[in-house]
Each structure stands twice: as C-alpha cells, then as structure tokens.
Amino acid sequence: MKHWQGIIHLVYEHQQQETTIKSVFSQAPFKIQNSFYPEGKSICHSVILHTAGGIAGDDILSQNICLANSSQVLITTPAATKIYGSKGKKAIQEVKIKLEKNAYLEYLPQEMIVFNNANFEQKMRVDLEDNASWLGWEIIRFGRSARGEIFSEGNWLNYLEIWRENKPIWIDRQYFMGNSPLFYASNGLGGNPVVGNLVYIGSEDIDQYISNLRHLIKEKYDENIGIGITALQQGLLCRYMGDSVSAAKEYFTLVWQFLRDKRGLDGTFKSRIWQ
C-alpha cells in the first residue's frame, strides 16, 4: 500500500466585503474544491478532500490554514474520515491554523471513524490574534459499530491547543488505547462508541450564552443523554458521548446555529453535507 505525505496550505483574504482564497498549495491525497458562497460573498465555504479514501499507517498529513484580517470562512469535508487498522504503524496529522485580527473560522469536518488496530496521532494548534474567533468540532466513532467491530487494539491520540496572542486559552489532550478499561468505565466512555467536542473561542462575553444554551438543550433533549456544556476562558465547550453520529451532529448544529445568530450571521443556514 502506498503511504502518503499529504500537504495543504490555504491562505484567505478579505477585500471589498468578500472573502476569497488568496493562495493554495496541495499535495496528494489532499485537494481543495472550488470555493462556494451559499450565504453570500462575505463567508467563503471550502471543502477539503482526502482522495485516498482513508488514512493508513505511516501516512504523514499536514494542514496549514491562515485567515487574513476580517476573513470569514467555513471549512468542512465531504465524507467521514476513515482511520484504517495498521498493525502498529502510526499515521500522523498536524493541523496549524492562524486567524488574524477580526477573522472568523468554522472548522467543521465530518466524523472520524477509527478502525480496530488503528494507530493515529493528531495535533492541532489554533493561534488567534485580537478579536479573532474560532468554532471547531470533531466527532469520533471508535470501531465500525454497524459491523459489530469495537476498538479493542490500537492507539488514538488527539491534542488540541488554542492560543490567543501567545497565551494558552484551551489545551485538550485525549489518549485512548484499544484495550483501555476507560472505554467501559463510568468515568470514561461507559461503553459508548461515539464521542464529540465542540469548542468556541470568541471575544465577546459568553456567560449568557451558556445559560441560554442550557435552556435550549433542556427543552430539546432527554436529561439522560450524554451531552454537556461548560464555560471556557473566552469561550465555551460542548461534549457528546453516546452511540449516534447523527445525534452528535444534531446537538452541535443546534449550538452552531445559536452562536451564528448571536454573531449576526445566518443561523438558519444548514449545509446539505451535514444531513
């Protein structure tokens, strides 16, 4: 099997009320689709393709994304990312994102499916300048549950760091081994194969956001569902734990639309690729 060293570099700019890609460089298996504007020219939508179908052991992938002043961008993927079993060989992905002053990025990929025997490491760092805002989510399914597969062997490591003007805002480090008792422990995943995180870091006061969102969640969801929301320094964190990718997307989309409404954006817009 061929092992990939994929690279994608994206630079966005904002001029005359329009956000566009200023420069792009990609190396297989990464590819960027043409930008599209379902909400008008101020918000650029981009879809990053991984043309190999999945990530295998020894793959080394790198994403570098920069938003110039006042750029507004939504980045997603067209389908789930598959992390194949690799018999000990590690796949690595590094994502570096820089948001300049007043920039706003929604980084909303489709779910990641971690096959049994996968060995995967992802490190993401987001650097924010003054008044820049970030909204990102990730949804992970351990094992191909529809086939009865569980994640009994392998390693999954995920680091997320968000910094503003060289000061740490949120550091989240997650690590699971395939045979870890945490998959079934009450203080771990409790046997649930799907976990998700949504992080929003902004410049506004979000205290009222938390109370309003908790009220919305209480109205919509059963209190026993594995979701929660809490305040972060300059932002908020939402978590999901359960057995349904669709439920995680529904929950996160509710939060996403609420935050868009507060920002004065189109909170009713819903991309078809999340259906």
Side-chain angles (χ1 to χ4, degrees), residues 91-252:
I92 298 173
Q93 177 163 257
E94 185 173 22
V95 182
K96 295 181 179 180
I97 296 172
K98 180 181 179 181
L99 306 184
E100 296 183 358
K101 292 181 179 179
N102 301 309
Y104 176 56
L105 174 61
E106 297 174 344
Y107 189 84
L108 312 176
Q110 297 279 10
E111 70 273 15
M112 180 179 290
I113 303 173
V114 184
F115 288 33
N116 192 35
N117 286 306
N119 190 0
F120 179 67
E121 175 182 306
Q122 176 170 278
K123 294 183 178 180
M124 176 182 290
R125 174 162 173 152
V126 182
D127 286 284
L128 308 176
E129 293 188 358
D130 184 47
N131 205 41
S133 299
W134 150 272
L135 190 155
W137 75 34
E138 57 186 358
I139 301 169
I140 313 297
R141 176 179 288 278
F142 290 103
R144 291 170 289 177
S145 306
R147 299 187 178 189
E149 179 185 271
I150 62 174
F151 187 61
S152 60
E153 298 290 338
N155 294 276
W156 178 80
L157 181 148
N158 190 33
Y159 287 173
L160 170 63
E161 298 186 0
I162 302 177
W163 297 67
R164 188 185 296 280
E165 298 179 321
N166 296 317
K167 295 181 180 180
I169 299 297
W170 173 243
I171 308 294
D172 190 20
R173 296 183 175 179
Q174 302 177 16
Y175 174 63
F176 283 107
M177 295 178 62
N179 58 357
S180 171
L182 286 175
F183 274 106
Y184 302 96
S186 57
N187 65 333
L189 302 187
N192 293 291
V194 178
V195 295
N197 307 289
L198 180 151
V199 180
Y200 174 71
I201 302 295
S203 56
E204 68 271 44
D205 183 358
I206 55 85
D207 287 344
Q208 188 174 357
Y209 290 6
I210 298 292
S211 59
N212 290 344
L213 278 167
R214 284 176 175 165
H215 180 71
L216 286 175
I217 291 166
K218 186 177 181 180
E219 285 186 335
K220 187 172 180 63
Y221 297 103
D222 185 276
E223 62 181 8
N224 294 320
I225 193 170
I227 59 179
I229 183 169
T230 189
L232 297 178
Q233 185 182 179
Q234 300 182 23
L236 58 83
L237 167 68
C238 302
R239 296 216 193 257
Y240 170 86
M241 182 175 66
D243 60 5
S244 172
V245 167
S246 296
K249 289 180 179 179
E250 179 184 341
Y251 166 45
F252 288 164

